[in-house]
Amino acid sequence: MDEIINNVQNNWSKDIIIRYLYIKLAPYFKRDLKYFLASFEDKEKQYNLGFINRFPDVVCSTLADFYVKLFQEFDINAKKIIANSSKIPLFALIVEGDNGWYFLNPLEDLFNNQYNLKPVSFGIIPRFRTIKDNYPYLTLLPQEYLASLDDYLQLKYLDDYFQKMHKIFTNRVSANLFLGYPKNSHYDLKEDKVNYYEKFLINLGNVNGCFERAQLYQYLNDIFLTKAEKRFVKVIICGNISKPYIFLQILNKDCQLMYKEEVVNDKYILAKIK
């Protein structure tokens, strides 16, 4: 983490610094399972008592605290804010960049930033009424401007690749041909698609938190599975908080397949257990 922070250049603008740290530091965090796997009652209790900072395990409040403190070290004004009116509210932050104040939600973008997908909560105007009422002066950063920051920082994203794969894999004919079957085959492709995940996709980026890895598989399901197939491929977090596991469950007509995610030689694999 220190290497990333120390790489900030003196000639960088505020917005370049903010964008760089927001994206590049994401792999150092993971969602706190003591909160995210808890019941609503336990979550409310944690909120009312005050969130405990269990770095690198984070919730929205503690991650916002981290970035506020960090940005201030670079003379960038930042504030943690309550973003909505939920019983357990969302905490995010606003920063004063080169052209005014804008909104950031680093927890929502945590997986995207780890998996080399474009951030979706950077410089937006959220729909929350709380934001609109309390911070009417926020600036919307245009996509063209964000692209210029990314070009400067030489940041590359996988979004275009996955959009292309979504069109291929959610079309029966093109999916058959891509996976080596006759174009009019009615073979069940769910297992082939999961095998494709393992071979090419599950070790991309730097996604190491259990909750974020579950998000990774859900994202791949959304990209590669048809609407009908999604009903039969489930992502499950099992085990206890100190040693959680991720399973992929595939329900077929005559059987149930289970894959357990494991780490072998510093690489994630999907070990078939049924």
Side-chain angles (χ1 to χ4, degrees):
M1 177 178 286
D2 288 342
E3 181 179 355
I4 297 293
I5 296 172
N6 292 336
N7 196 44
V8 172
Q9 304 298 304
N10 293 330
N11 63 333
W12 285 4
S13 69
K14 290 181 180 180
D15 288 347
I16 289 175
I17 295 173
I18 294 167
R19 185 81 165 176
Y20 174 77
L21 295 174
Y22 184 84
I23 292 173
K24 288 294 188 177
L25 290 180
Y28 294 94
F29 305 106
K30 55 184 178 176
R31 280 174 173 77
D32 187 347
L33 297 185
K34 291 182 179 179
Y35 176 80
F36 286 98
L37 296 186
S39 66
F40 180 82
E41 291 75 17
D42 285 341
K43 288 179 179 178
E44 188 176 17
K45 182 178 180 180
Q46 291 186 51
Y47 164 64
N48 289 331
L49 291 175
F51 292 117
I52 298 173
N53 186 354
R54 287 187 277 259
F55 179 88
D57 296 21
V58 296
V59 298
C60 58
S61 179
T62 56
L63 187 55
D65 286 335
F66 171 87
Y67 273 107
V68 166
K69 182 179 179 181
L70 178 62
F71 291 146
Q72 289 174 346
E73 291 177 3
F74 290 95
D75 295 322
I76 296 172
N77 291 327
K79 300 177 183 178
K80 180 171 76 172
I81 64 169
I82 294 177
N84 61 13
S85 57
S86 297
K87 195 170 185 180
I88 304 175
L90 166 68
F91 290 89
L93 67 149
I94 58 175
V95 294
E96 187 176 22
D98 296 305
N99 301 293
W101 288 84
Y102 54 88
F103 175 87
L104 304 176
N105 185 352
L107 188 69
E108 183 174 2
D109 276 329
L110 194 60
F111 162 68
N112 280 36
N113 290 338
Q114 293 174 348
Y115 198 55
N116 296 329
L117 300 172
K118 288 181 181 178
V120 297
S121 290
F122 188 104
I124 65 170
I125 304 296
R127 296 180 179 180
F128 302 126
R129 175 57 59 184
T130 303
I131 295 286
K132 293 179 179 180
D133 289 345
N134 294 333
Y135 310 99
Y137 51 84
L138 293 182
T139 298
L140 174 67
L141 299 183
Q143 289 301 310
E144 296 81 3
Y145 178 67
L146 296 177
S148 71
L149 300 180
D150 292 337
D151 287 343
Y152 183 88
L153 292 167
Q154 298 183 322
L155 298 174
K156 305 296 182 183
Y157 301 111
L158 295 172
D159 298 70
D160 290 343
Y161 165 77
F162 282 117
Q163 288 177 13
K164 176 183 177 182
M165 299 307 286
H166 178 71
K167 291 179 181 179
I168 293 173
F169 274 81
T170 54
N171 178 280
R172 164 59 70 171
V173 172
S174 61
N176 279 335
L177 294 175
F178 190 95
L179 293 170
Y181 296 105
K183 67 178 182 179
N184 294 320
S185 170
H186 294 286
Y187 183 78
D188 190 337
L189 299 178
K190 296 193 295 293
E191 186 174 1
D192 290 85
K193 292 181 180 183
V194 169
N195 289 334
Y196 188 84
Y197 297 176
E198 179 185 36
K199 188 173 182 180
F200 298 107
L201 305 173
I202 66 173
N203 285 292
L204 296 181
N206 195 346
V207 185
N208 294 313
C210 182
F211 198 98
E212 287 70 40
R213 292 206 62 79
Q215 287 182 301
L216 164 60
Y217 288 107
Q218 192 58 60
Y219 174 79
L220 295 177
N221 286 350
D222 289 340
I223 294 295
F224 287 87
L225 303 182
T226 66
K227 186 176 181 180
E229 289 171 333
K230 288 180 189 178
R231 296 161 47 206
F232 300 102
V233 181
K234 306 297 182 184
V235 183
I236 305 167
I237 297 178
C238 295
N240 55 47
I241 290 174
S242 61
K243 195 173 183 180
Y245 302 98
I246 294 177
F247 291 91
L248 261 67
Q249 177 190 65
I250 303 177
L251 300 176
N252 290 323
K253 291 182 180 179
D254 302 320
C255 65
Q256 170 182 281
L257 301 176
M258 291 290 290
Y259 294 83
K260 179 184 177 184
E261 185 184 72
E262 298 178 353
V263 178
V264 177
N265 296 326
D266 297 323
K267 295 288 185 181
Y268 290 101
I269 67 166
L270 290 172
K272 186 186 289 188
I273 58 175
K274 284 188 180 181

